[in-house]
Amino acid sequence: MRTIKPVQMRSPVLTVRRVDTYHAITVVAPGVAERFRAGQFVAVAVGGDTSSMLARRAFFIHDVKPDYGGTVEFVFEVRGRGTSWLSECRSRDLLDVTGPLGRPFPLPRDPVNCVLVGDGHGASPLFPLAHTLRRRGCRVDFVLGAAGAQRVFGALAARRVGETATFATRDGSLGLRGRVTDALPQVIEDARADVVYGVGPLPVLRTVTAIAAKYGVPAQVAVEERMACGIGLCMTCVLPVVGDDGVTRMLRSCVDGPVFRGEQVRFDDVGTIPFDALGAPGWKARPDDSASTEIGQ
Amino acid sequence: MSVDLTARLGPVELANPVLAAAGCAGAGRELAQFFDIARLGALVTKSIMAQPRSGRPTPRLAESASGMLNSIGLQGPGVDVFLQRDLPWLLSRGARTIVSVAGAHTGEYAEVAARLSDAPGISAVEVNLSCAQATERERTFAAEPEAAAEVVASVVAAVRPDLPVIAKLAPDGADIVEVARACVSAGAGLLAMINTIPGMVIDTTTLRPGLAGSTGGLSGPAIRPIAVRCVYRVHAALPDVPIIGIGGVQTGQDALEMLLAGASAVGVGTATFRDPTAALRIQREIEEGLAEREISRLGDIVGLAHRPEGAAGLIRTRSRRAVAFD
């Protein structure tokens, strides 16, 4: 699957709004909106042209609309100086945006049953996915979770769009008390799921993948790794991923992901270079296997 | 006014003085999504080694004020895949290509350089001397004049005589002027400086180093004054050796600083992460900056900061006119 070329543009901010504990910014970005597919993200330069913050911030695209030639909305939480600056942007400010970036969620060919799992505002890319799946006749069930009710993103939309919407919060303020993955097995069973889509921190995705595997259904997971450029140059966002050829490579989340097949991500080895990864220290090319020297996909 | 942006770097002549610096432009494919990479002065590839290499674990990135630290560990496909897959593609796009080579020991540099030497179309080989010597973990080749010279000599011996060799130097370790002299004596026709500077951040939440590799290389505008000083000193010592100035160049004005210090061209690295088209913008800004100063040839500004104060200058401020008062 070849992704469509991204664009870089100066995008006027249309709106900045609070969504519970999160912020959502909508920018006018026709080139991004028209190319977008669910699961893709934008990388935003923060702090203005003379910023001391050099790395772009990556955000999943939550929504695109045809207004003004095409608008793009992304959701974020204020976690540091960059996101704090963004939260103070106002209508008509200009943001330097590149996108849409990354490989989107693969879509099932047939109208199957899909369970969409999201933790915190990681749920944001699940909504455009849900709309696309629904248009293809798929059944969509949501499982959303977070620390507390205020941090569950998109509960209303999930109820509206999903066949069912199940919630889990660590403090029990909405839905089940527990983690989002605690609620997942029952939903997979009730919905007779054929595929699970997940977004959230790596530990959540690891559990989502394990549960899906237990039920014998594929998991497509989108990772939220830190990156500097979002376009494949900086090599900071790599993960150990097993290819179809059985070889583990350190793949870039930004261009080889952010969506991976869950069972191909070596979650337990994140933060390490697995000894058998292509090009790991001590690694030797097998003379009979020239294909395995290919880095990337 | 029209400005001649040709960068004359001894044996290498480039249509313009802005290069994509090694390690920040991959092998061109990613940037080509945003602009025609043939418009770069040249593209310096990410360093190529003999074998595929997975690099260091994550986290590999830490931001600091006006800088960033990286700890990638030279992840790359190895010279075989580079020659089969990446180089032909780069050349097919008309990109002026300088190939950066790296190694754990002198033999690896020479091995990679020899493989490249047989491939047509390469404009120069750049020797990344900021690799840890396999024998002495903490020291890089760039940190010691003898070690650097040995690597450069082995690369020079391994490549065709007409393939220029660029030694890429680092600001830490031995005096950069001594390392530069040693590399030139060993046969480097050009110098590039500087590489990243070792640095460290500590995560105050986890109470641990912020990078999995503990230390990383600092790049970005935070290191530009250090780079300018290195270029200035090396140009003063070796005025006939062309220099590619690298380190925190983000704007045309930053580039002019490098040129004034004695660089004949500039490399743009970290700026590309924030702005994929930074190199083209900087080209345009250099052209505008030269025109504003009524300098018609890029070469005329190289090293101008070395003039003694008050010396008759080439630089004229635009349309200064005598003002008569009553």
Side-chain angles (χ1 to χ4, degrees), chain B residues 5-26:
Chain B
L5 281 184
T6 310
R8 294 182 178 80
L9 294 144
V12 183
E13 192 174 290
L14 305 175
N16 75 72
V18 184
L19 288 72
C24 299

Side-chain angles (χ1 to χ4, degrees), chain A residues 48 52-53 56-57 235 279, chain B residues 30 54 60 63 66 75 274:
Chain A
S52 70
M53 294 177 275
R56 281 181 181 254
R57 273 42 173 182
M235 308 293 287
Chain B
E30 295 81 5
S54 59
R60 291 176 167 188
E63 211 179 27
S66 294
Q75 179 172 343
R274 188 184 163 87

